[in-house]
């Protein structure tokens, strides 16, 4: 039977065999929620990059560019790290270069996988439905925060495990813990997440609206996948 | 205010500052539960070692020796890895050399801390009461399983966080997640843990009795602490 497992931070990815697995990268606040939103609103492709410098280079080549470091947007970029900044006519059909603190690293580290896909609560059911049809194991890779596990990514991992529990074997404790955590919290995700270290950081920057948005389930039928160095819609 | 945090596996210990903290090492199934039981039954000191070879050397020097690798006991040792094997008159006042798959590594990695203490459900309240009187931050270090987070150690971490929530600040997501998991599972710990990867391994070796035993709360008023290279009762 196919297996689903969860890796709580990219620091622990080396413990997982991913060469026969689809890796679902998640960075709920807010990189992967932004990406899914972008594709839902017509963006054609997204180039994840590791550094601000690379992002600046791509911007100078004519791409739109989005950046975030420590929860804030550096000067001179076209988009900030709010999913609402992706809801803009001018990005329809365009390519956006994106760098984020944790999400890009998780994507880069996953390249050995059969497929690298992008997960968020916004496209949870689309993703679950697709993965059910595939023959591969699934590893949910939480981007975390500076190498540490975080609440919101773990909750997403648990949500996906929960949706796939009849189709996949849950063999490792991290997946069990994530599922249990999600099942216990799902009726008040916002209240639960409100205490997380990341949301406390975000609150300081005044963006409650993004948080509520990123916790909405099943808004978009979007399946972002890594092709070469770009994310595209499947 | 003092902080309490949780490290889900020794692989992530480098992310934590421990030089002003008391580290509580936990390996519920079964190293730290064995150690606490040993002290409760009169063992004078325990020498944790990393390898079977070191353990054999200490045995040859006249110490009692306990060993475990991958959930089993190698031939020729005085104790196996069941806490019940520590309940023996002959060990009263003695020193036991112990090697375990994950616990010893966690202890060794924690030496930079103000104090290294040994935690288990069996001495949970004794530990909580002591830590409340101390000025230091607390880090619960889960031994995990071969570098991965595991269910039972995370649940213990959550139990200790829960007992200390009025006395310490819970600032990081891992501590919040562990607490939430414990609070949700505390009324049926055995049922919850029964599905963990470790218990499934242990069940194969036929030791349900150890599992029930190790999940009992507050049996012993024992505070094992590392002094030099030995664990002693405080």
């Amino acid at each position: 039977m196919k297996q689903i497992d969860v890796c709580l931070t990219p620091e622990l990815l080396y413990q997982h065999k991913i060469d026969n697995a689809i890796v679902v990268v998640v960075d709920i606040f807010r990189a992967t929620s932004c990406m899914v939103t972008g594709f839902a609103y017509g963006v054609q492709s997204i180039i994840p990059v590791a550094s601000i410098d690379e992002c600046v280079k791509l911007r100078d080549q004519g791409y739109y560019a989005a950046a975030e470091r420590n929860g804030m947007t550096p000067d001179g970029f076209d988009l900030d790290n709010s999913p609402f900044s992706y809801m803009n006519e001018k990005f329809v059909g365009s390519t956006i270069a994106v760098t984020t603190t944790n999400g890009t690293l998780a994507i880069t580290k996953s390249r050995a996988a059969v497929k690298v896909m992008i997960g968020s609560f916004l496209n949870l059911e689309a993703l679950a439905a697709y993965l059910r049809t595939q023959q591969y194991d699934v590893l949910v890779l939480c981007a975390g925060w500076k190498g540490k596990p975080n609440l919101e990514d773990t909750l997403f991992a648990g949500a996906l495990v929960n949706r796939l529990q009849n189709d996949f074997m849950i063999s490792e404790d991290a997946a069990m813990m994530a599922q249990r955590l999600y099942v216990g919290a799902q009726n008040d995700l916002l209240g639960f997440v409100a205490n997380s270290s990341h949301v406390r950081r975000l609150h300081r920057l005044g963006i409650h609206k993004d948080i509520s948005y990123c916790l909405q389930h099943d808004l978009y039928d979007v399946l972002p996948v890594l092709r070469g160095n770009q994310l595209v819609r499947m």
Side-chain angles (χ1 to χ4, degrees), chain A:
Chain A
M1 196 179 180
K2 301 181 288 184
Q3 301 208 353
I4 183 164
D5 198 6
V6 171
C7 182
L8 296 174
T9 145
E11 299 295 291
L12 299 178
L13 184 60
Y14 75 92
Q15 299 174 343
H16 298 267
K17 270 185 59 74
I18 59 172
D19 55 350
N20 196 39
I22 297 175
V23 172
V24 177
V25 171
V26 54
D27 184 2
I28 292 295
F29 300 141
R30 290 163 284 172
T32 60
S33 299
C34 283
M35 290 167 177
V36 168
T37 301
F39 286 116
Y41 277 79
V43 167
Q44 192 182 349
S45 64
I46 290 175
I47 308 177
V49 296
S51 70
I52 296 276
D53 283 354
E54 289 174 81
C55 211
V56 169
K57 258 180 221 155
L58 289 167
R59 192 189 56 183
D60 293 346
Q61 291 170 31
Y63 295 105
Y64 290 113
E68 179 250 303
R69 274 297 176 278
N70 301 315
M72 308 216 282
T73 310
D75 288 340
F77 284 81
D78 304 292
L79 302 89
D80 64 22
N81 52 11
S82 165
F84 293 101
S85 73
Y86 286 74
M87 301 174 181
N88 190 322
E89 278 280 323
K90 73 176 173 186
F91 302 131
V92 174
S94 73
T95 296
I96 301 177
V98 177
T99 175
T100 72
T101 314
N102 308 293
T104 304
L105 178 70
I107 293 169
T108 307
K109 281 196 167 185
S110 306
R111 288 181 187 278
V114 171
K115 264 194 181 66
V116 179
M117 302 187 72
I118 296 297
S120 71
F121 288 107
L122 305 170
N123 68 333
L124 174 60
E125 188 52 39
L127 208 47
Y130 173 77
L131 294 169
R132 282 188 202 105
T133 68
Q134 299 297 298
Q135 62 179 308
Y136 302 105
D137 293 338
V138 168
L139 179 70
V140 189
L141 175 57
C142 299
W145 180 260
K146 298 186 176 176
K148 292 185 178 181
N150 75 19
L151 187 52
E152 61 275 14
D153 296 347
T154 306
L155 284 169
F156 169 82
L160 189 57
V161 169
N162 203 48
R163 294 267 176 118
L164 294 176
Q165 64 181 321
N166 295 325
D167 311 275
F168 288 77
M169 215 168 77
I170 304 166
S171 56
E172 296 284 341
D173 285 7
M176 285 182 52
M177 292 195 282
Q179 184 188 12
R180 179 79 174 219
L181 210 58
Y182 173 75
V183 169
Q186 62 182 322
N187 292 326
D188 182 26
L189 270 193
L190 191 59
F192 185 32
V193 167
N195 282 317
S196 76
S197 60
H198 196 140
V199 167
R200 277 183 276 134
R201 272 188 297 272
L202 291 175
H203 271 218
R204 287 202 301 270
L205 303 170
I207 43 171
H208 305 63
K209 198 175 135 196
D210 284 5
I211 296 160
S212 313
Y213 174 81
C214 293
L215 295 177
Q216 290 176 284
H217 289 47
D218 308 329
L219 280 193
Y220 306 125
D221 191 20
V222 163
L223 292 173
V225 63
L226 190 67
R227 293 262 159 77
N229 68 341
Q230 303 203 355
L231 295 162
V232 295
R233 198 165 166 170
M234 192 178 273

